[in-house]
Amino acid sequence: MYTIKSYVFPESLEEADELLQRDCRNNAILGGCCWLKLGRRRIRSAIDLSKLGLDQIEVRDGFLELGACVTLRQLETNPHVTARFDGILGRSVSHIVGVQFRNCATVGGSVFSRFGFSDLTCALLALDTTVVLQRGGELPLAEFLASPIAFNDILLKVRIRDDGRHAAYESVRRSTTDFPTLAVAVSCLEGRWKVSVGARPARAVLSDDAARCLESGEGPAAAGAAAANELVYGSDLRAGGDYRKKLAAVLVRRAAQTCMERENKG
Ligand SMILES: Cc1cc2nc3c(=O)[nH]c(=O)nc-3n(C[C@H](O)[C@H](O)[C@H](O)COP(=O)(O)OP(=O)(O)OC[C@H]3O[C@@H](n4cnc5c(N)ncnc54)[C@H](O)[C@@H]3O)c2cc1C
């Protein structure tokens, strides 16, 4: 549980930024508060972004843009999102806890936190995705995920190139709503592939070797074996590293096969 001394609704991004900079160790940007509730933080100023119009999903200038306050449930129900990338964004979050939870948890809180287990991050990484930060500007998601968390910044939105690529998502969970034991997303655009593997249990990363296998026509099984061999798989209470490695081979193969079939159908 957390405690909050003062709860603030900034009227502009500049005001939100200024409030955060006053004491970024003790002040906090609020997403849906689902994760914050699990901690024991004493928040001096809780900065609620809900008056800043960041709950919008827009298709603009060739990009699908997801504001930081967009909820996970919106990814499952918004027609702009479900109609693109074979609906993998909505599908990737559909096993997270339950609908009421997904009506609260946000894109901003999920991406900014860089959770290793994040289904959404894994799916976004297989697309052409950038994040837009108040201070850090716009940078590719892969670069953002590889950098340490800057607690003095605010994630404003996620931008995905609306390039019509096909995609597929697969995860394995010990029970339906558990955290993923392993997650995989694959996409293909004009013969160029991206293969993302998350919940290793470390953060999602791309497997370049798996992508190369698919680009050179070696097929889904070879891509699965390549992702299993290239990436590092660790152990935690959900699974051992060896098991995750075996899962990676299977899930990458399945996702690549599905993506290929979608690509062939057009
Ligand atoms: C019980 C439980 C089960 C879960 N299971 C899964 C699962 O299976 N798969 C999965 O992918 N995820 C899972 N999650 C994570 C969940 O999907 C969200 O990613 C998580 O709750 C964070 O989103 P939030 O909006 O609640 O963020 P919050 O809890 O509000 O914030 C989390 C952190 O991010 C910061 N923050 C929030 N928004 C911003 C912003 N715009 N800019 C900068 N900093 C920001 C906050 O200050 C805080 O430090 C689970 C979470 C819980 C609590």
Side-chain angles (χ1 to χ4, degrees), residues 131-182:
V131 296
V132 181
L133 301 160
Q134 172 76 359
R135 293 193 156 239
E138 183 166 359
L139 69 161
L141 177 63
E143 198 180 309
F144 175 75
L145 290 176
S147 63
I149 296 184
F151 288 102
N152 66 341
D153 215 342
I154 305 174
L155 191 147
L156 305 180
K157 61 182 163 186
V158 167
R159 296 180 86 223
I160 309 155
R161 194 177 295 281
D162 188 15
D163 51 17
R165 71 179 61 222
H166 282 288
Y169 187 81
E170 293 279 344
S171 71
V172 161
R173 306 169 120 80
R174 287 159 59 98
S175 60
T176 320
T177 59
D178 192 13
F179 290 92
T181 303
L182 198 84

Side-chain angles (χ1 to χ4, degrees), residues 199-216:
R200 298 173 297 115
R203 287 174 196 164
V205 285
L206 291 171
S207 168
D208 294 335
D209 288 353
R212 264 192 294 275
C213 282
L214 293 164
E215 285 162 15
S216 64

Side-chain angles (χ1 to χ4, degrees), residues 66-72 75 105-112 120 124 155 157-158:
L66 311 174
C69 299
V70 165
T71 66
L72 302 187
L75 301 181
T106 62
V107 168
S110 300
V111 175
F112 190 82
L120 179 59
L124 287 169
L155 191 147
K157 61 182 163 186
V158 167

